């Protein structure tokens, strides 16, 4: 049985994944706070991403790491610097020293949020972050590339769209990923024999609404089971046409392209 360390394990994306990842993995959950309801195949280890000694203990003996731990929307520079930049550096350093072979890095669509919605992008485009948060995800991808090429710590970087049971608005019809499709992508990240450094988009089958060409994920074996178009009629009939600052509906990143604090109107602004 493979042991997988999951950072950010008390967060919302982890909650979905803990239900969806195959039982064949022993999950070592890692966060500052203990997640609720540990399952039979789950153990918990407390670690702050800023605490290198605790991280070194957390990564000992694992086969792969799913690195979800981060501040997950726009915030102050200090918050992003600590949680997402220093935290991700510490995680890769701990992985390198422990000889962990594979990391699945939860990148974000906000690494490329300043691409126009009218443009279809693939995994080879240069980054266009829409926020300090997006910059931190570009940093994570760059770090993953460095650690793969220099130290042999292999990475699958997943530019996650929006993880939810169903697409929650017009923008999310283009970038939605269901929990089971995300779990499938992460399992590819754990199991695929030929990954050194790869970028894929974390999206379900979202044609005809999609902005991303996810052929790299398909090449690695990804076959999404869920389609955002199944929800399009319901979403579009409830959503008024987008109004307000036109940048928020011209660019893929939505409200992240203008906000200084929050970024995701479905979440409270960070303090
Ligand atoms: C993200 O990267 C955030 O973590 C998530 O909260 C959503 O806001 C998502 O992007 C999105 O763009 O919808």
């Amino acid at each position: 049985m493979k042991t997988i360390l999951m950072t950010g394990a008390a967060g919302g994306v982890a909650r979905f994944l803990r239900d969806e990842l195959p039982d064949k993995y022993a999950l070592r959950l890692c966060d500052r706070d203990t997640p609720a309801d540990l399952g039979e195949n789950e153990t918990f280890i407390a670690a702050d991403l800023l605490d290198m000694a605790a991280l070194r203990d957390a990564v000992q003996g694992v086969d792969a790491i799913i690195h979800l731990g981060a501040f997950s929307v726009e915030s102050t520079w200090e918050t992003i610097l600590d949680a997402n930049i220093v935290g991700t550096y510490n995680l890769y350093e701990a992985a390198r020293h422990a000889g962990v072979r594979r990391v699945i890095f939860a990148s974000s669509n906000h690494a490329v949020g300043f691409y126009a919605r009218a443009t279809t992008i693939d995994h080879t485009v240069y980054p266009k972050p829409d926020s300090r948060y997006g910059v931190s995800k570009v940093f994570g991808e760059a770090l993953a590339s460095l650690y793969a090429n220099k130290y042999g710590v292999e990475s699958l970087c997943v530019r996650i769209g929006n993880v939810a049971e169903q697409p929650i608005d017009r923008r999310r019809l283009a970038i939605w990923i269901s929990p089971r499709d995300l779990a499938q992508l992460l399992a590819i990240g754990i199991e695929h024999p030929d990954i050194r450094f790869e970028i894929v988009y974390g999206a379900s089958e979202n044609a005809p609404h999609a902005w991303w060409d996810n052929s790299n994920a398909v090449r690695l074996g990804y076959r999404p089971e869920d389609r955002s178009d199944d929800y399009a009629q319901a979403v579009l009939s409830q959503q008024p046409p987008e109004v307000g600052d036109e940048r928020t509906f011209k660019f893929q990143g939505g409200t992240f392209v203008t906000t200084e604090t929050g970024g995701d109107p479905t979440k409270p602004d960070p303090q």
Side-chain angles (χ1 to χ4, degrees), residues 72-73 108-110 133 161-162 171-172 175 256 264 267:
S72 68
V73 291
S108 166
N109 69 91
H110 298 290
Y133 167 70
N162 187 250
R171 175 172 167 270
R172 270 53 173 250
I175 67 164
F256 282 68
D264 183 344
K267 292 188 172 175

Side-chain angles (χ1 to χ4, degrees), residues 27-50:
L27 293 182
R28 187 184 296 171
L29 306 178
C30 174
D31 210 311
R32 288 181 300 197
D33 310 315
T34 316
D37 316 325
L38 286 190
E40 258 176 37
N41 64 337
E42 295 179 330
T43 53
F44 175 68
I45 183 161
D48 189 313
L49 291 171
L50 297 179

